[in-house]
Amino acid sequence: MTNKEIVKKFLLKHKQHESNVDQLLFIKNFQKEMNKGLKKDDELFAMVPSYLTNNLTPKINSKKVLVLDAGGTNFRVGLAEYKNGKPVFSKVEKTPIPGLKSPISKEKFYSEIATKCSKHLKGISNAGYCFSYAIKIGKNLDGPVIRMSKNIVIKGIEETCVGKETLNHFKKYNSNVEKIALFNDTIATLYGGISDINKKANYVGYILGTGTNIAYFEKPKNIKKISIKNEEYISINIESAYFDKFEMGTFEKSFINKDGNTSVLEKCTSGVYFNNIILNCLAEAKKEGLVSYELKSDFELADFSLFLNGEKTNLKKFICSKKDQEITKIILEEMIKRNAKLGSSAIAASILKNVDKKLPTYVIAEGSTFKKLPYYEKWFKYYLNNLLKKYSLSAKVYTSDNLTLKGSLLIASNL
């Protein structure tokens, strides 16, 4: 057998091959959970309405607004405006998100955020706040935190309203900010793409970075758990990280069982976790004689990316022989292909939920894993459009810089 055949046999044995992903069953189960979450709270998918419609458009010219982006690793803040229909950013600063290195209190979190924003507040009345964690948004575009994720621990933050608390802490700096809109990073990414493309189309937002999530547009009449009379479509933050209605392979199961059976789809695909599944796979490959080396447990996804790209990495100290290198590269690409197939299945389910076949379809994609993990984007596009062909559809994948900030600008300038 060739090395490719050896790896395929190994992965099929452990149900970790891309062919073990049943996309049609995945879509059926995914949409079932979407519908359950639209009807009531406390379901697998939070299905959080943003109260933002599909008709927001970029201004020709606008006043400056404050844009905030609290991500899984970094916090960004700056000023933004439209000039001649184009987004213009100034004084954008990036620092570590409070609570990244160790747990902190809610008071310290809000205080540090206000301090980071303090030099940008003069003369600003509106703000758009991309908060990359689950919030139960209300019609006032604010709401309580449902839960934190991405290994960020902020004691007591649950049930606090992020916008209200942030504005209160801004007052310490004589702030004139009156309106602040809160939304998830996937919602911000979605509107960032809409701002750039600026035409009528089907849009779905997709984050695959430290964590993962999806946003799409839903008919208000289908959102039974709240009262929305607006006939325009409303963007929904799915909180899809918690999806677990698909068959996991051996290496995914062993990690999930060890780390806890929560946010299963996120733990099988996103950057902060995927390296653990790869390490489990390579450890079993060593046991079964496919490779001769044994890796330490502290290698991250970036190390595997460097290895695949032929760049300098400490992995090469362990993977020395030509055979080991070849088999490892095949294993890594096959694992990434499976990852991409899972992600594309979730996106296809979101597209098909309310697709208008008369319009073009765009997947607005953001995140370090999506952009930097070798082979991922290529296989994501392949599996997505191969699947959509069954429904006489296709989708374009759109990526750009600063999508969350562009989305924050679009929303804040339309307050």
Side-chain angles (χ1 to χ4, degrees):
M1 288 194 294
T2 65
N3 286 335
K4 282 190 176 182
E5 290 170 334
I6 290 169
V7 170
K8 182 177 181 179
K9 183 179 178 180
F10 167 70
L11 292 176
L12 284 171
K13 173 185 173 182
H14 292 283
K15 296 185 178 180
Q16 286 285 169
H17 194 259
E18 57 85 12
S19 63
N20 294 119
V21 178
D22 185 334
Q23 288 189 290
L24 297 181
L25 180 59
F26 189 109
I27 288 174
K28 179 181 177 181
N29 290 336
F30 197 92
Q31 290 187 340
K32 183 179 179 180
E33 296 302 328
M34 292 173 80
N35 289 327
K36 286 165 64 177
L38 288 170
K39 291 178 181 177
K40 60 180 181 179
D41 295 324
D42 302 320
E43 296 294 334
L44 186 65
F45 288 173
M47 301 299 287
V48 183
S50 70
Y51 292 91
L52 299 166
T53 74
N54 61 333
N55 287 328
L56 298 187
T57 55
K59 307 287 186 182
I60 300 301
N61 295 292
S62 71
K63 294 181 180 179
K64 286 184 179 180
V65 299
L66 183 72
V67 288
L68 303 83
D69 181 8
T73 304
N74 297 308
F75 177 79
R76 291 189 294 171
V77 61
L79 299 175
E81 62 187 309
Y82 284 112
K83 287 186 177 180
N84 299 318
K86 301 294 183 182
V88 177
F89 299 96
S90 58
K91 301 181 180 179
V92 177
E93 297 178 335
K94 181 170 72 173
T95 55
I97 184 77
L100 179 65
K101 294 183 179 180
S102 61
I104 61 172
S105 68
K106 64 179 180 181
E107 180 63 30
K108 186 172 183 181
F109 175 80
Y110 287 122
S111 179
E112 288 192 20
I113 291 297
T115 300
K116 291 173 186 289
C117 296
S118 60
K119 66 176 71 173
H120 305 282
L121 296 175
K122 187 176 180 180
I124 301 299
S125 57
N126 289 0
Y129 192 168
C130 171
F131 192 78
S132 304
Y133 306 90
I135 310 174
K136 188 176 181 180
I137 296 292
K139 291 181 181 179
N140 63 347
L141 302 182
D142 191 16
V145 176
I146 299 172
R147 54 180 168 258
M148 298 300 292
S149 56
K150 306 176 182 72
N151 295 325
I152 303 295
V153 178
I154 303 171
K155 298 175 182 178
I157 198 170
E158 287 78 8
E159 301 305 320
T160 64
C161 290
V162 177
K164 180 181 178 180
E165 292 289 342
T166 302
L167 286 176
N168 284 339
H169 281 75
F170 280 177
K171 290 177 183 177
K172 300 175 185 177
Y173 301 95
N174 298 315
S175 167
N176 292 317
V177 178
E178 297 176 355
K179 296 180 181 179
I180 184 167
L182 262 289
F183 36 85
N184 180 268
D185 56 341
T186 326
I187 296 289
T189 293
L190 175 66
Y191 283 100
I194 291 171
S195 177
D196 277 356
I197 297 168
N198 196 20
K199 69 179 181 182
K200 197 168 182 61
N202 301 299
Y203 291 100
V204 170
Y206 181 41
I207 296 280
L208 186 69
T210 305
T212 188
N213 198 18
I214 299 169
Y216 80 112
F217 286 100
E218 182 57 77
K219 300 173 185 176
K221 66 180 182 180
N222 292 338
I223 310 172
K224 304 296 184 184
K225 61 186 180 182
I226 58 174
S227 175
I228 298 179
K229 295 181 180 179
N230 200 325
E231 292 303 315
E232 298 169 318
Y233 281 63
I234 302 294
S235 55
I236 300 285
N237 162 27
I238 298 177
E239 289 299 325
S240 57
Y242 295 84
F243 185 63
D244 60 0
K245 303 298 187 293
F246 62 96
E247 185 177 25
M248 287 184 284
T250 302
F251 314 126
E252 292 161 343
K253 283 181 180 178
S254 60
F255 173 59
I256 297 296
N257 291 339
K258 180 180 178 182
D259 201 59
N261 191 31
T262 58
S263 58
V264 170
L265 183 61
E266 183 169 79
K267 287 180 178 175
C268 288
T269 57
S270 71
V272 75
Y273 300 115
F274 187 48
N275 63 299
N276 295 281
I277 296 167
I278 290 173
L279 287 166
N280 286 346
C281 178
L282 294 175
E284 185 61 29
K286 167 68 166 62
K287 287 181 183 178
E288 297 187 23
L290 273 73
V291 297
S292 63
Y293 61 85
E294 189 170 343
L295 291 181
K296 298 184 296 182
S297 62
D298 57 353
F299 282 108
E300 298 180 350
L301 193 58
D303 295 301
F304 295 113
S305 295
L306 291 171
F307 177 77
L308 283 171
N309 288 329
E311 298 178 53
K312 186 177 180 181
T313 168
N314 287 334
L315 275 172
K316 291 183 178 178
K317 295 178 181 178
F318 296 86
I319 311 172
C320 300
S321 74
K322 186 176 180 180
K323 180 185 176 183
D324 279 349
Q325 289 178 5
E326 182 179 349
I327 288 185
T328 302
K329 286 180 179 179
I330 295 169
I331 288 175
L332 291 176
E333 180 168 3
E334 291 298 325
M335 293 290 285
I336 292 167
K337 284 169 67 175
R338 176 181 168 84
N339 187 333
K341 197 170 185 180
L342 288 171
S344 67
S345 301
I347 290 298
S350 305
I351 290 171
L352 293 168
K353 185 72 168 58
N354 288 306
V355 69
D356 183 342
K357 291 189 175 182
K358 296 177 183 178
L359 298 175
T361 298
Y362 291 92
V363 177
I364 313 302
E366 181 61 288
S368 55
T369 305
F370 187 93
K371 292 181 176 180
K372 296 179 181 179
L373 184 60
Y375 311 123
Y376 185 90
E377 186 174 349
K378 165 190 160 184
W379 287 110
F380 175 87
K381 291 176 179 177
Y382 171 80
Y383 288 122
L384 176 63
N385 280 302
N386 196 48
L387 178 57
L388 290 178
K389 279 181 185 177
K390 302 180 190 298
Y391 303 91
S392 301
L393 290 167
S394 64
K396 295 180 181 179
V397 176
Y398 179 83
T399 60
S400 180
D401 294 331
N402 293 319
L403 281 173
T404 55
L405 293 182
K406 289 175 182 176
S408 300
L409 166 61
L410 177 63
I411 294 166
S413 64
N414 277 277
L415 289 176

